[in-house]
Amino acid sequence: MPENRHTTNGARRHENCREARQENGDEARHDPTAPTRTQFLTPGAAIDAHRHDEHQIVYAGRGVLTVTTEAGSWVAPADRALWIPAGTVHAHQAHGELRLHLLGLPATVNPLGLDTPTVLAVAPLLRELIVAYTAAPAVDTPERRRLRAVLLDQLRASPQQPLHLPAPTDPLLSALCELLRADPADGRTLAELGRAVGAGARTLSRRFHHDLGMTFPQWRTQLRLHHALVLLAEGAPVTAVAHACGWSSASAFIEVFRRTFGHTPGSAAGRQPVLSRSRRPPPPGPPAAAR
């Protein structure tokens, strides 16, 4: 079965963040101040695991960004941002030409009261505020303070996004999920995959509900959509993405993508939505399951 470099790299970054946090927080680079700036990354570029003493908002104005923490990873494109709480070990991976907007906030400033990484919707006004604030020189002027105040107001009104791809803790599920991460187009049934990992379909189905809070078809659909966003960001044609991610036709892929994200994959290069992968997410409003 072919190895998928995107999902393999994501799993490795997730493990590195987890180990750095468990063994010794200083093993991840410690940058006390979360920077506020605009940064450009080339396709495939990465920023290794690190942490700040301040909160940070991460937003990709162009391209798609994967942010990995010990709790999981998120694919963050142009209509979503990620809130990273102070002290969270995290790493970045660029997909496509990436224009990255980083906004640091003191640990005492938490407009949403969030203490876990969270995906936020970015409306047009909030987008322009983030772009303007991270592009301007970091000089404390009355104009900049007013811009920051409006930005924080918009953040408070920004809806949180529950779309996620949970990462299993159960060893059997971990083995099964790694098979599918290596090849999202793998069309084997749960029973067939169960034979490969040594468990029955009924047992695995129960464990998906218990460990991940969703059914196996829902999880597989999320995995395929997660992978599709990355491929689209890297310029792959919609038809090629559909087949690489396990859909029988481009039209079937387009329909699931549109129902889930509200727009077609053909328009996704500049504004794909986000999928997050977390261990114990809040109950989702699941997308249509893969058949």
Side-chain angles (χ1 to χ4, degrees), residues 6-271:
H6 302 296
T7 50
T8 299
N9 289 343
R12 188 176 300 119
R13 288 191 299 273
H14 166 82
E15 187 67 16
N16 289 343
C17 286
R18 184 185 63 81
E19 289 178 356
R21 184 60 177 256
Q22 285 183 343
E23 294 175 8
N24 186 339
D26 292 334
E27 290 190 11
R29 188 175 78 249
H30 179 208
D31 298 331
T33 302
T36 295
R37 63 172 182 250
T38 300
Q39 181 172 351
F40 294 87
L41 296 177
T42 57
I47 300 175
D48 292 337
H50 61 286
R51 60 188 174 91
H52 308 292
D53 295 335
E54 299 181 325
H55 304 304
Q56 189 173 52
I57 295 164
V58 181
Y59 171 68
R62 184 176 69 220
V64 168
L65 174 72
T66 299
V67 177
T68 305
T69 77
E70 63 169 346
S73 64
W74 291 257
V75 179
D79 60 356
R80 301 292 188 273
L82 182 65
W83 169 267
I84 302 175
T88 301
V89 176
H90 59 286
H92 304 305
Q93 176 79 46
H95 305 287
E97 293 285 347
L98 188 71
R99 184 176 70 240
L100 184 62
H101 299 275
L102 302 170
L103 197 161
L105 294 172
T108 54
V109 178
N110 191 333
L112 291 169
L114 297 170
D115 58 5
T116 57
T118 305
V119 172
L120 304 172
V122 176
L125 176 57
L126 178 56
R127 178 189 186 281
E128 295 305 319
L129 290 166
I130 292 174
V131 169
Y133 192 80
T134 56
V139 179
D140 186 22
T141 63
E143 293 80 8
R144 186 169 175 81
R145 288 195 294 271
R146 289 194 293 270
L147 179 62
R148 183 175 181 272
V150 177
L151 195 159
L152 292 178
D153 281 342
Q154 289 299 305
L155 278 176
R156 292 184 185 97
S158 181
Q160 299 176 34
Q161 302 295 303
L163 295 172
H164 63 279
L165 177 64
T169 58
D170 183 284
L172 277 176
L173 292 190
S174 294
L176 184 153
C177 292
E178 282 306 311
L179 292 176
L180 295 179
R181 288 193 185 102
D183 180 14
D186 188 334
R188 282 180 288 179
T189 66
L190 187 57
E192 290 168 335
L193 290 165
R195 286 194 287 272
V197 300
R202 186 169 298 178
T203 295
L204 291 170
S205 181
R206 285 198 302 268
R207 294 192 184 194
F208 265 95
H209 279 286
H210 180 265
D211 195 32
L212 303 181
M214 60 172 55
T215 67
F216 167 67
Q218 288 166 358
W219 187 91
R220 176 153 63 182
T221 297
Q222 292 287 49
L223 171 69
R224 290 175 171 179
L225 289 169
H226 179 112
H227 186 51
L229 291 173
V230 170
L231 294 179
L232 290 167
E234 295 180 349
V238 170
T239 299
V241 172
H243 292 299
C245 296
W247 275 276
S248 59
S249 67
S251 59
F253 166 54
I254 291 169
E255 178 58 21
V256 172
F257 195 100
R258 185 191 60 76
R259 286 205 307 266
T260 304
F261 299 134
H263 58 85
T264 64
S267 64
R271 56 165 210 160

